[in-house]
Amino acid sequence: MTEKDFIPKSYPAQVEQGEVTWQSPSNIALVKYWGKLENQIPANPSISFTLDSCRTTTTLKFKKKQQRADNFHFDLSFEGEKKESFRPKIQKFLERIDPYLPFLRDYDLSIETSNSFPHSSGIASSASGMSALALCLMSLEKQLNPEMNEEYFTRKSSFLARLGSGSACRSIEGDLVVWGMHNNIYRSSDLYGVPFRDEVHDNFKNYRDTILLVDKGEKQVSSTVGHDLMNDHPYAEQRFRQAHDNLDKLKKIFRSGDLDEFIKVVESEALTLHAMMMTSQPYFILMKPNTLAIINKVFKFREETGLHLCFTLDAGANVHLLFPEKEEEKTLQFIENELKQYCQNGQYITDRVGSGAKKLA
Ligand code: PMV
């Protein structure tokens, strides 16, 4: 499919007003997306586990205007309160998706959104937030075009979510999603996420992700700035090639169930992401002393127990701890007894792999 396939020709139905609600999860990348070209095209393919309990719920209310206007009209509230600071991001999102949803300026929109995870926990809410909003807008488009099939609905939701925040396109479906062209991944695309359809060993079913909240402050580097650091980065080409190779490796690992090899790829991806930031101009160190303390404890725990706990990081100091369902009891005990002390206010979130977004109303 190309971008043009997402431009609608005409709408057979009329819709005066209504409301829809979607709940969409966050996701955690195993091979990281870091670096992009124009129009949110990723510089390399990525793969993520879709999460389950870290979610955004969004209700979209829409009412047809008397007359189509030049501007978008929308109200925004977050957790029950008007949120002016989110407006520029949503405005930009609506501008970007306007060619693909030409009805947007025909409606007064009201967007009510809330997160299941603690406010300003340093957890990126853009993936769950942008995917939930994209799905709501697609539900309106489906009312205007009731013939739309499910596959197109899902693809286009992911396509639109990507224009809001790249990684958001991996939050529509579960449980493993690939985004970005890769020679050995069936139907992979730079335009939207696709579910990973190859064989996946039972070891990876219901995988756990416990998120340690090390630093709940504002992000030190926004993702826009972060991705830009990869332009003219001395190691960029090598890094993009490595992401392709790591996806090939993971494909084999998912089939064989080899947890030791899984750990090697996933931890190396996390450290490479941070290495890219440490070796760019300007350079950034996003880990905190507690991030490193946790990583060292994870190494030690693995050595002592032979269990398969591993870490990954996004562009920040918080640590995602990934482990198999079978090892949950001992691992959670270890987190509670030995890692909680490194979290701000002792806070962490226990999550697991989930099946994607859900329509609530
Ligand atoms: O979706 P963005 O533009 O916020 O980028 C997120 C990038 C990482 O979270 C660091 C990695 C990834 O693939 O999710």
Side-chain angles (χ1 to χ4, degrees):
M1 283 178 109
T2 69
E3 268 131 338
K4 286 207 180 80
D5 294 316
F6 295 114
I7 300 176
K9 291 186 182 66
S10 62
Y11 292 121
Q14 298 268 353
V15 177
E16 284 307 316
Q17 60 182 316
E19 102 175 51
V20 288
T21 301
W22 276 89
Q23 197 168 66
S24 191
S26 186
N27 67 74
I28 179 68
L30 305 171
V31 171
K32 307 287 180 183
Y33 151 58
W34 199 241
K36 63 178 169 185
L37 316 174
E38 243 184 289
N39 298 328
Q40 303 271 101
I41 296 300
N44 65 261
S46 56
I47 185 166
S48 50
F49 274 138
T50 305
L51 296 182
D52 187 47
S53 32
C54 288
R55 299 181 217 155
T56 297
T57 305
T58 297
T59 296
L60 173 73
K61 295 181 181 158
F62 43 89
K63 189 166 191 285
K64 196 150 185 189
K65 294 172 186 166
Q66 301 277 15
Q67 226 177 5
R68 182 179 168 88
D70 285 341
N71 298 331
F72 302 107
H73 286 162
F74 61 97
D75 275 340
L76 254 185
S77 71
F78 177 68
E79 290 177 356
E81 284 178 29
K82 285 240 176 299
K83 197 77 185 176
E84 288 304 310
S85 60
F86 287 1
R87 280 193 82 84
K89 207 167 176 191
I90 301 297
Q91 173 73 28
K92 197 162 163 205
F93 177 54
L94 296 175
E95 283 165 18
R96 275 197 194 151
I97 63 175
D98 184 44
Y100 308 103
L101 298 178
F103 60 82
L104 287 174
R105 277 174 281 159
D106 294 335
Y107 288 88
D108 285 319
L109 305 171
S110 149
I111 303 161
E112 293 164 15
T113 178
S114 62
N115 290 339
S116 64
F117 40 89
H119 182 46
S120 63
S121 55
I123 298 198
S125 56
S126 61
S128 52
M130 284 299 176
S131 53
L133 180 54
L135 284 157
C136 288
L137 293 169
M138 280 307 294
S139 283
L140 171 51
E141 182 170 59
K142 188 163 166 54
Q143 292 185 24
L144 292 163
N145 177 15
E147 305 277 272
M148 184 188 298
N149 71 39
E150 214 172 298
E151 182 175 331
Y152 181 87
F153 181 95
T154 308
R155 290 285 161 275
K156 187 164 172 181
S157 300
S158 174
F159 172 86
L160 297 176
R162 180 193 109 243
L163 295 173
S165 169
S167 59
C169 77
R170 298 187 312 237
S171 275
I172 308 287
E173 294 175 276
D175 41 3
L176 277 163
V177 177
V178 176
W179 168 42
M181 268 294 289
H182 185 280
N183 283 340
N184 301 321
I185 306 275
Y186 182 61
R187 284 184 156 185
S188 56
S189 168
D190 284 342
L191 298 180
Y192 44 79
V194 294
F196 178 76
R197 295 263 182 234
D198 275 51
E199 203 181 317
V200 178
H201 193 279
D202 279 352
N203 280 351
F204 297 106
K205 299 279 157 70
N206 296 318
Y207 225 70
R208 301 309 205 227
D209 180 8
T210 293
I211 308 158
L212 305 185
L213 305 179
V214 172
D215 181 16
K216 304 200 289 171
E218 279 279 304
K219 278 212 238 174
Q220 199 184 324
V221 184
S222 73
S223 7
T224 313
V225 171
H227 291 294
D228 279 353
L229 296 175
M230 290 307 282
N231 300 332
D232 305 320
H233 192 291
Y235 307 138
E237 281 315 308
Q238 181 63 28
R239 158 62 197 151
F240 300 146
R241 266 205 305 280
Q242 181 197 40
H244 284 263
D245 294 346
N246 278 343
L247 249 165
D248 273 324
K249 285 186 187 161
L250 274 187
K251 202 175 139 163
K252 277 202 200 106
I253 292 166
F254 284 134
R255 190 171 312 137
S256 68
D258 190 333
L259 292 170
D260 294 325
E261 290 300 310
F262 176 77
I263 292 169
K264 281 188 205 161
V265 173
V266 169
E267 292 189 344
S268 161
E269 273 289 322
L271 295 177
T272 302
L273 171 70
H274 281 252
M276 290 298 111
M277 282 179 265
M278 288 196 253
T279 49
S280 53
Q281 276 302 351
Y283 39 81
F284 296 95
I285 302 178
L286 300 185
M287 290 189 210
K288 299 278 182 206
N290 281 354
T291 313
L292 274 177
I294 291 165
I295 290 175
N296 281 314
K297 284 255 180 175
V298 168
F299 290 158
K300 193 155 167 266
F301 175 74
R302 241 176 13 230
E303 215 174 284
E304 286 171 4
T305 62
L307 296 177
H308 299 92
L309 172 63
C310 79
F311 70 86
T312 186
L313 310 163
D314 274 341
N318 293 334
V319 183
H320 287 248
L321 292 176
L322 300 174
F323 51 97
E325 183 183 21
K326 268 197 274 195
E327 299 180 7
E328 178 168 46
E329 203 184 315
K330 282 197 180 120
T331 308
L332 284 181
Q333 228 166 45
F334 164 68
I335 292 170
E336 178 64 27
N337 294 341
E338 298 204 34
L339 299 184
K340 189 179 168 162
Q341 56 177 311
Y342 301 112
C343 302
Q344 261 192 12
N345 309 323
Q347 262 187 312
Y348 63 87
I349 300 171
T350 47
D351 206 342
R352 65 182 63 186
V353 170
S355 56
K358 289 178 187 68
K359 188 164 189 261
L360 299 188

